[in-house]
Amino acid sequence: MDLLGGALMMGAPPGTNPLISFMPIVAMLGIMYFLLVRPQQKEAKRHEQMVNALKKGDEVVTFGGLYGKIVGFNGDRVSLRVDEGVKVEIERSKVMRVVSGNGAERSEKPEKSSPRPT
């Protein structure tokens, strides 16, 4: 027991709480949560909302890189027309993003136009 107590207090001045030495570790875990875990959760939530809002006629890009137009739904599957006479069926969650007709990503918010200099 004396060995363990000595190992815990090694390097700490007498009279300080040994839990104080764990504060940097707790702070690092908190920082890791806010830098890594929380943004990933936000992105997953945004992707889920986008997938739930898919509708016929949307032009999409899959995680595999296929561009296509949604022509139908079958449960958790989406039918895409990638070319005339070519349809593929993919899992709904594998849609990466919705794009407009010219290949530009459709924005969630309307863009503000900047005033023209005169």
Side-chain angles (χ1 to χ4, degrees), residues 47-95:
H47 183 259
E48 183 180 352
Q49 290 172 345
M50 184 269 307
V51 167
N52 290 334
L54 290 174
K55 59 188 181 302
K56 274 188 178 181
D58 282 346
E59 291 188 15
V60 297
V61 178
T62 68
F63 280 107
L66 285 175
Y67 281 78
K69 190 174 204 172
I70 296 177
V71 293
F73 296 96
N74 184 10
D76 63 342
R77 293 183 180 182
V78 176
S79 295
L80 295 179
R81 188 186 76 211
V82 293
D83 199 8
E84 292 300 319
V86 180
K87 287 184 187 175
V88 294
E89 222 174 74
I90 63 165
E91 194 173 316
R92 185 184 279 244
S93 64
K94 300 305 177 197
V95 173

Side-chain angles (χ1 to χ4, degrees), residues 1 6 9 35 52 76 100 111 116:
M1 180 89 175
M9 295 303 286
L35 290 178
N52 290 334
D76 63 342
S100 64
E111 293 181 22
R116 293 185 184 189

